[in-house]
C-alpha cells in the first residue's frame, strides 16, 4: 500500500461578521407590527372593533381562527 508523505494542509476557519444591532432593530419592529396586524385580523376582526364592514375578512381567516384557538361561533 502506498503512503503519502504530504501532510494535509490546515484550512483557515472563516468567522462570520457580526451583524450590528442597528441593522436588526428596524426589521424586528416591522415584523412585530406585521404580526400584530395579522393577529388582529385573525383574532378580533369581527363585531364592535371591526375595521372592515361585513363578514369578508372573517370568512377569509375562519380556519386560521380555529387553528389558533380563537372562538368564532
Amino acid at each position: 500500500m502506498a503512503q503519502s508523505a504530504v501532510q494535509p494542509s490546515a484550512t483557515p476557519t472563516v468567522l462570520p461578521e457580526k451583524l450590528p444591532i442597528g441593522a436588526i432593530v428596524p426589521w424586528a419592529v416591522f415584523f412585530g407590527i406585521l404580526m400584530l396586524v395579522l393577529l388582529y385580523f385573525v383574532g378580533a376582526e369581527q363585531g364592535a372593533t371591526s375595521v372592515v364592514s361585513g363578514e369578508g375578512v372573517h370568512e377569509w381567516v375562519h380556519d386560521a381562527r380555529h387553528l389558533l384557538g380563537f372562538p368564532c361561533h
Side-chain angles (χ1 to χ4, degrees):
M1 198 176 279
Q3 293 181 353
S4 175
V6 179
Q7 297 294 326
S9 63
T11 57
T13 57
V14 178
L15 298 175
E17 293 183 33
K18 292 186 178 185
L19 192 60
I21 193 74
I24 297 173
V25 171
W27 287 103
V29 169
F30 171 73
F31 283 112
I33 291 171
L34 182 64
M35 290 298 114
L36 287 174
V37 168
L38 288 175
L39 183 64
Y40 168 77
F41 277 111
V42 170
E45 176 60 29
Q46 171 180 350
T49 63
S50 181
V51 173
V52 180
S53 63
E55 292 288 321
V57 174
H58 173 79
E59 293 302 322
W60 288 345
V61 298
H62 186 87
D63 292 337
R65 294 174 65 93
H66 289 295
L67 181 68
L68 296 173
F70 288 101
C72 63
H73 29 161

